[in-house]
Amino acid sequence: MILFQTRFLYPISAVRLQEEQGILPAEFLQTLHILRPFLEKEKAYGTVCSTSVESPRGRQLTVYYRKTYSTETGYVIEILEAEVARPQATTQAA
């Protein structure tokens, strides 16, 4: 039996993440490190999925990814997008 290590690809712009979402590269990479065990066990292949996770800075991030498998390359997880989750609006009765 041949075991392939999961490869992660990041086809997103670190500059854009920082400028548009305020996510610094270190925060992004630390957040993905937290998500790694979950993503490696994920069963959805080929479709774009998303999950939310709390970053080391305490912010809720939504990460969009796609997981694929081929006999030549093994498992590949592409991180397609990341964004700071917008807080839910709460209403209070007067």
Side-chain angles (χ1 to χ4, degrees):
M1 176 157 82
I2 298 174
L3 295 176
F4 292 101
Q5 184 174 16
T6 301
R7 293 183 324 139
F8 283 76
L9 301 176
Y10 308 103
I12 59 175
S13 166
V15 172
R16 195 187 60 69
L17 277 180
Q18 186 170 350
E19 289 177 353
E20 293 179 13
Q21 297 292 326
I23 302 171
L24 298 175
E27 179 184 13
F28 174 71
L29 292 174
Q30 290 170 346
T31 301
L32 291 182
H33 181 72
I34 294 167
L35 273 179
R36 187 179 184 112
F38 166 77
L39 293 174
E40 287 178 339
K41 293 177 184 174
E42 175 64 83
K43 301 288 187 210
Y45 294 96
T47 60
V48 174
C49 301
S50 66
T51 189
S52 294
V53 62
E54 187 173 326
S55 79
R57 291 183 59 196
R59 298 191 299 172
Q60 199 69 19
L61 302 183
T62 302
V63 177
Y64 298 89
Y65 62 93
R66 176 177 34 236
K67 185 174 184 178
T68 57
Y69 174 80
S70 75
T71 55
E72 294 83 30
T73 60
Y75 296 102
V76 176
I77 298 174
E78 294 176 87
I79 306 301
L80 304 170
E81 185 66 67
E83 64 186 20
V84 176
R86 292 176 178 46
Q88 297 287 338
T90 57
T91 58
Q92 296 180 354

